[in-house]
Amino acid sequence: MELWYTEKQTENLAFSCRITRTLHRERTPFQDLAVVDTVQYGRMLILDGMVQTTVADEFIYHEMITHVALFTHPNPERVLVIGGGDGGTIREVVKHQKVKEAVLAEIDRRVVEVSREFLPEISCGLDDPRVTVLYADGIKHVQEKKGCYDVIIIDSTEPVGPAEGLFSREFYQAVAEALKPDGLMVAQTESPFVNADLIRKVTASIGEMFPVMRLYLASIPTYPSGLWSFTVGSKKYDPLAVRFEGELPFPTRYYTPALHHASFVLPAFVQELVAKK
Ligand code: SAM
């Protein structure tokens, strides 16, 4: 008998892959959490019926949400990751030697615990001595901080449930206030095919809060449509002004200096969604 996982990505679109077994399933206080082994993409973390990450393609998302911002900031000493309980973003953050402190504010303790148990290759960075894990609502955390972080990375679930507020104008304002005077933020901002209205809204809000706002793209096979967007809001440093000298200080599998710049070159239909600056 074949076992298949099917995610209803929209009312009219589904993604299916064959699985060999379900390793874990529980209802946490925040969401339905599952870990399955897929044939095509390896082990997969699922929250509320939506793929969060897979062992085979996670490097694309985690490298792209992290390195664009951390190579744009000349001295990213204090970094906050909101969400990101699987640990993949933190694993990439701690590859940067300039980072002195990395804080993870994840609302759901069980995502971290289950990722540590079933996804060690993704969660391994959480053991770095520079990392502090807080089980907290990222919205409250940034509201309580002023001028504190160099970089804030918003590695959230889709804009439903506890993550809904992570896409609001008020939240981006609190993020701007939690950053130092030359700080910058980056957020995962969903698919231009499936979430066009959301991209219009968040790029307008981030553009209002920050003098530099830029959207960039990556191809992520297990996310709806495969085309994914990230948005940078920066008080000073422009990701397009970054110049790389020599090789990167650590190996990567997707991100490269050339791709850093290329990812900001947008197809016309995506350019149209991005609020004008
Ligand atoms: N790479 C993923 C994606 O785009 O599908 C996101 C991965 S990560 C697992 C997302 C995390 O955000 C979840 O573990 C969820 O519990 C957390 N989260 C959602 N809302 C949050 C909030 N308000 N504060 C902190 N964490 C939150």
Side-chain angles (χ1 to χ4, degrees):
M1 191 185 66
E2 286 188 2
L3 286 175
W4 285 75
Y5 161 76
T6 295
E7 171 180 335
K8 205 172 156 197
Q9 295 179 327
T10 73
E11 282 305 304
N12 308 301
L13 185 70
F15 163 82
S16 278
C17 58
R18 199 167 139 207
I19 64 172
T20 50
R21 59 187 175 149
T22 301
L23 293 132
H24 186 81
R25 178 114 196 238
E26 72 174 273
R27 176 88 217 157
T28 78
F30 299 96
Q31 52 214 339
D32 184 272
L33 191 169
V35 181
V36 299
D37 273 339
T38 77
V39 177
Q40 185 73 41
Y41 291 116
R43 198 156 285 182
M44 176 186 272
L45 176 73
I46 302 162
L47 291 176
D48 283 342
M50 288 174 272
V51 178
Q52 299 300 305
T53 197
T54 80
V55 165
D57 73 347
E58 58 88 10
F59 66 99
I60 308 171
Y61 177 89
H62 293 128
E63 288 184 12
M64 288 302 283
I65 199 170
T66 304
H67 300 318
V68 171
L70 268 76
F71 281 116
T72 295
H73 196 296
N75 201 17
E77 291 187 349
R78 294 196 78 201
V79 179
L80 168 68
V81 177
I82 294 176
D86 51 70
T89 299
I90 284 285
R91 184 196 63 202
E92 296 304 311
V93 167
V94 297
K95 288 181 182 170
H96 291 257
Q97 290 199 342
K98 286 178 179 168
V99 172
K100 291 187 174 155
E101 187 189 7
V103 176
L104 181 81
E106 162 62 60
I107 204 166
D108 192 341
R109 171 188 292 271
R110 290 299 294 150
V111 176
V112 176
E113 290 169 350
V114 167
S115 299
R116 279 184 182 282
E117 185 176 349
F118 294 103
L119 295 159
E121 57 281 81
I122 298 177
S123 59
C124 53
L126 294 170
D127 294 325
D128 188 284
R130 293 167 291 168
V131 175
T132 304
V133 179
L134 303 175
Y135 296 113
D137 185 335
I139 301 173
K140 276 212 185 110
H141 181 77
V142 290
Q143 283 167 349
E144 288 161 6
K145 301 283 168 185
K146 300 285 171 237
C148 189
Y149 293 107
D150 296 300
V151 176
I152 297 180
I153 301 176
I154 302 150
D155 181 3
S156 66
T157 34
E158 287 62 23
V160 285
E164 204 178 336
L166 297 175
F167 293 83
S168 72
R169 195 184 162 282
E170 295 69 32
F171 172 66
Y172 297 129
Q173 180 158 11
V175 167
E177 287 168 16
L179 285 166
K180 291 183 190 168
D182 64 347
L184 63 93
M185 59 147 281
V186 60
Q188 75 86 1
T189 47
E190 307 280 309
S191 160
F193 280 107
V194 182
N195 314 90
D197 287 342
L198 179 115
I199 291 176
R200 281 195 193 92
K201 196 182 115 208
V202 298
T203 56
S205 303
I206 294 172
E208 237 182 88
M209 302 301 158
F210 293 91
V212 181
M213 182 277 291
R214 305 234 181 248
L215 182 133
Y216 62 97
L217 298 172
S219 299
I220 305 179
T222 55
Y223 288 174
S225 87
L227 184 67
W228 212 247
S229 76
F230 302 86
T231 305
V232 172
S234 176
K235 294 186 181 181
K236 182 171 177 189
Y237 308 111
D238 186 341
L240 295 186
V242 176
R243 293 287 165 261
F244 294 89
E245 278 164 31
E247 296 200 342
L248 294 178
F250 45 80
T252 52
R253 293 175 66 202
Y254 190 89
Y255 178 88
T256 65
L259 192 91
H260 174 109
H261 289 283
S263 65
F264 289 91
V265 179
L266 304 178
F269 85 98
V270 181
Q271 254 172 45
E272 251 176 44
L273 305 178
V274 179
K276 299 279 171 291
K277 276 298 294 178

